[in-house]
Amino acid sequence: SVMLLFLARASKPLRKYLIVFGLGFAFLSMDEAAVIHEKIVDSVRRLDWPWLMALTFGGSHKAWMVPYLVMGLIGFLSCYRFIMLVWRSFRREAALVAAGLAIFGIGGIGLELLGFYFEDAPTETPYAWAVAGEEFCEMAGMTVVLYGTLLLGIRLHSDVPG
């Protein structure tokens, strides 16, 4: 997120979008550190509003996925032109970022759902493997995103063609 904000300072035409993505990744970092997504259901339970509890699938800890997917979709649609510009102009860097986000999504959503399936397994081993895989995919995905972002920064601020 910090890298994108630094790039935004030096890249006037892309500034608005780089700030949006930088702040989005900053939120994801804070969420991972503060476990915000895990606390959504507990907060809803404390409010004791039946209609809001219904929106959390009756108190399921999977409830965080819906608002996060909606926010991601809104972000994607609002930045679609920028994403397509980056895809056309910086194909390799954009492909790396897209691959990193896909790896992150496989872990953050796919393996998290698998983990919920294994929560009630007779032993903790399948659940532990699912959680380990989830965390690994999230970290590996963000590492690939960072690499693509660094390459984008180099391309934006050098005279060397890609």
Side-chain angles (χ1 to χ4, degrees):
S1 64
V2 173
M3 180 67 185
L4 289 169
L5 295 175
F6 277 126
L7 287 175
R9 283 188 59 208
S11 182
K12 189 167 182 145
L14 305 176
R15 182 171 293 154
K16 174 176 66 169
Y17 299 106
L18 292 171
I19 289 172
V20 167
F21 283 102
L23 292 175
F25 283 118
F27 172 77
L28 289 175
S29 297
M30 289 185 288
D31 176 71
E32 190 66 25
V35 199
I36 296 166
H37 65 284
E38 300 288 341
K39 296 176 183 175
I40 289 175
V41 172
D42 296 332
S43 299
V44 169
R45 282 189 182 123
R46 272 188 249 119
L47 289 173
D48 196 30
W49 292 345
W51 65 271
L52 193 55
M53 185 58 83
L55 292 177
T56 65
F57 306 110
S60 168
H61 283 282
K62 296 175 227 161
W64 68 267
M65 292 179 187
V66 173
Y68 279 54
L69 285 172
V70 168
M71 286 188 305
L73 184 61
I74 289 170
F76 177 80
L77 292 175
S78 64
C79 297
Y80 180 76
R81 286 179 43 203
F82 166 73
I83 293 167
M84 289 298 105
L85 171 70
V86 171
W87 182 258
R88 283 190 303 274
S89 304
F90 307 100
R91 179 68 52 103
R92 182 180 65 173
E93 295 81 356
L96 282 167
V97 171
L101 291 172
I103 294 166
F104 177 83
I106 287 168
I109 295 176
L111 290 176
E112 179 123 356
L113 287 172
L114 187 64
F116 287 125
Y117 176 76
F118 287 131
E119 271 184 332
D120 298 326
T123 66
E124 288 186 21
T125 305
Y127 177 72
W129 276 103
V131 171
E134 169 201 341
E135 295 301 328
F136 174 78
C137 286
E138 289 176 353
M139 293 299 116
M142 285 300 109
T143 301
V144 174
V145 168
L146 177 60
Y147 178 62
T149 303
L150 289 170
L151 290 178
L152 177 63
I154 291 168
R155 290 269 315 270
L156 285 173
H157 299 292
S158 74
D159 296 331
V160 179

